[in-house]
Amino acid sequence: MAAPPPRRQAVPTGRGPLPRPRVAGGGPPATRRSPQSFSVRFFGAGLAAAELMTCYLGLEIGAYHALADSGPATAAELARRAGLDERMAREWLEQQASAGILQVEDPEQAPEQRRFTLPPEHAEALLDPDSPNWIAPLVVMPIGGMASVLPQLVAAYRNREGLAPSAYGRAMRDGQANLNRGVFQHQLAGWISRHLPDIEARLHVPGAAITDVACGSGLSTLELARAFPLARVHGVDLDPASVDAARRRLAETDLGDRVSFGSGDAAGSGRGADGPGAAGAGEGSLLVCVFDALHDMSRPVEVLRACREMLAPGGAVLLMEPSVAERFTAEPDDTERFHYAVSVLHCLPVGMSDTPSAATGTVMRPDTVRAYAREAGLEAEVIDVGHLFYRLYRLRAA
């Protein structure tokens, strides 16, 4: 077995703050064997999870926005601004200060007089969707989405069945929609320009077409349209609620003459509100994109086969998928640990909610992508873009 790749240099990723380095007692179980060290590690994980829940609470009740918009506040002032109970507001403020998220001006003052501040760098990470350091989706997604379905997940695992995407609700859908916003806004166009220059040049010719498969709420679709102002872009997704959100987002732009959205099954089974799969609206596309979604799909080979059929001559299928190691190791880096956790809680159950299923999961290694592509009549080229979370794959007709 080959040695695992070295850890990558910590650089801004567009997907939020970087994973923290390992700390004493925080390593994987294989390197920490005493009951005491495991207990310490587990306590740290529980503390982090509990604090993440309080951050989710702060986002949902508008407390962070109240502090960012109107400045430092006592408990009474925050309660008035956000419409909260004063005592509950004070407890949340003190907890946030103890967690190092808020600052308190004078901790020696009486509880009712203490004033709390949200530092601007923390406000950016929590509240600014245009910042490459925006981390809020990673708070909303696991706490508001995944934690809420834990009883259903227990039943799904016990019953040897998947869990439908709709079970995860609005918080999960919104978290997923925003998770890659920074990547799409700040990096996607540059990646295409650098790594697919032949495709990029042709996308600036009038009449070029792009299909965005599994487009979700349309963030990637709209960014593709902005990056290539002469291209027609069509987004398709199996989830009607996501497509409705994409159409509402489109209505707020001036891109309506070049962008469209449809609801359908990209695997071509004929299910979907807008007809048989993605193929009709996507035929003759120079670029067919599947961003951070193939590993969620029950029938990835069928989806890739449909993508191949959409391609114009000389076109390419572009995948963005987790940048996991080539092979399993018991001591992966923190990003792979994250991908495994997300897989257990969401991606694998969702992928197994429809049968038959490839049951891929988030940790889809390059050999798996190559195998899926080969079966679909495509050849896969692995593209390392230097991102902590993602790599690209360019697929050509074999």
Side-chain angles (χ1 to χ4, degrees):
M1 179 179 290
R7 295 176 187 268
R8 300 187 181 191
Q9 184 67 29
V11 295
T13 67
R15 190 172 175 175
L18 303 172
R20 61 176 175 79
R22 299 190 191 278
V23 296
T31 61
R32 310 281 178 185
R33 297 192 181 277
S34 77
Q36 181 182 21
S37 63
F38 181 77
S39 294
V40 169
R41 175 180 177 241
F42 223 53
F43 172 77
L47 172 61
E51 291 184 339
L52 202 61
M53 292 180 195
T54 68
C55 294
Y56 174 77
L57 179 64
L59 289 166
E60 289 293 301
I61 64 177
Y64 290 127
H65 274 292
L67 290 167
D69 294 343
S70 301
T74 63
E77 290 168 340
L78 178 63
R80 284 195 298 272
R81 293 176 192 173
L84 306 174
D85 175 80
E86 181 178 341
R87 177 66 186 89
M88 298 176 83
R90 174 158 66 89
E91 198 76 357
W92 182 83
L93 286 166
E94 292 178 355
Q95 179 274 325
Q96 292 283 288
S98 73
I101 298 168
L102 301 182
Q103 295 175 346
V104 57
E105 293 179 359
D106 184 359
E108 300 302 321
Q109 286 188 322
E112 296 78 9
Q113 297 176 334
R114 293 178 192 141
R115 297 180 66 80
F116 296 84
T117 301
L118 178 62
E121 60 272 17
H122 295 185
E124 176 184 328
L126 287 166
L127 302 175
D128 184 359
D130 293 324
S131 169
N133 297 305
W134 190 38
I135 194 63
L138 278 181
V139 178
V140 171
M141 191 177 71
I143 299 302
M146 297 175 188
S148 67
V149 301
L150 280 175
Q152 296 177 70
L153 274 175
V154 171
Y157 271 78
R158 285 178 172 166
N159 295 332
R160 303 179 184 182
E161 60 188 13
L163 190 60
S166 58
Y168 290 82
R170 177 191 62 81
M172 186 68 193
R173 186 166 59 248
D174 291 349
Q176 282 186 294
N178 290 312
L179 188 63
N180 297 318
R181 180 170 180 160
V183 170
F184 296 145
Q185 285 186 340
H186 303 295
Q187 296 175 291
L188 178 59
W191 287 349
I192 293 173
S193 176
R194 288 192 298 275
H195 300 290
L196 288 80
D198 56 321
I199 299 295
E200 194 262 354
R202 294 173 63 189
L203 287 173
H204 290 293
V205 175
I210 303 171
T211 299
D212 188 10
V213 174
C215 66
S217 66
L219 281 168
S220 54
T221 315
L222 297 176
E223 290 303 326
L224 286 165
R226 293 186 180 104
F228 303 105
L230 298 180
R232 293 178 292 105
V233 188
H234 178 68
V236 62
D237 199 278
L238 184 60
D239 177 37
S242 293
V243 173
D244 288 344
R247 288 170 174 160
R248 290 193 298 272
R249 198 184 297 274
L250 174 62
E252 298 173 355
T253 74
D254 59 355
L255 301 172
D257 59 333
R258 294 191 296 112
V259 177
S260 60
F261 292 100
S263 176
D265 183 358
S269 68
R271 293 174 300 168
D274 295 343
E283 292 175 351
S285 293
L286 183 61
L287 184 66
V288 178
C289 303
V290 187
F291 294 136
D292 199 19
L294 191 72
H295 62 268
D296 288 330
M297 296 177 178
S298 299
R299 299 181 303 284
V301 173
E302 287 86 340
V303 170
L304 291 180
R305 193 173 290 130
C307 290
R308 185 196 66 195
E309 293 171 358
M310 295 178 209
L311 287 177
V317 177
L318 180 64
L319 308 181
M320 185 179 81
E321 286 293 334
S323 182
V324 296
E326 293 275 354
R327 296 175 178 82
F328 172 79
T329 172
E331 298 189 15
D333 62 20
D334 286 354
T335 55
E336 189 153 321
R337 290 175 63 195
F338 171 81
H339 290 311
Y340 262 121
V342 169
S343 190
V344 168
L345 296 172
H346 176 263
C347 296
L348 183 59
V350 164
M352 295 178 68
S353 65
D354 196 10
T355 56
S357 174
T360 306
T362 317
V363 189
M364 184 171 67
R365 303 192 189 279
D367 278 349
T368 301
V369 177
R370 294 185 186 102
Y372 288 166
R374 191 161 50 246
E375 192 173 348
L378 296 160
E379 296 178 349
E381 174 192 354
V382 182
I383 302 173
D384 184 355
V385 293
H387 196 278
L388 280 171
F389 283 87
Y390 293 121
R391 63 166 58 95
L392 301 181
Y393 297 86
R394 174 175 177 160
L395 276 55
R396 299 177 172 88

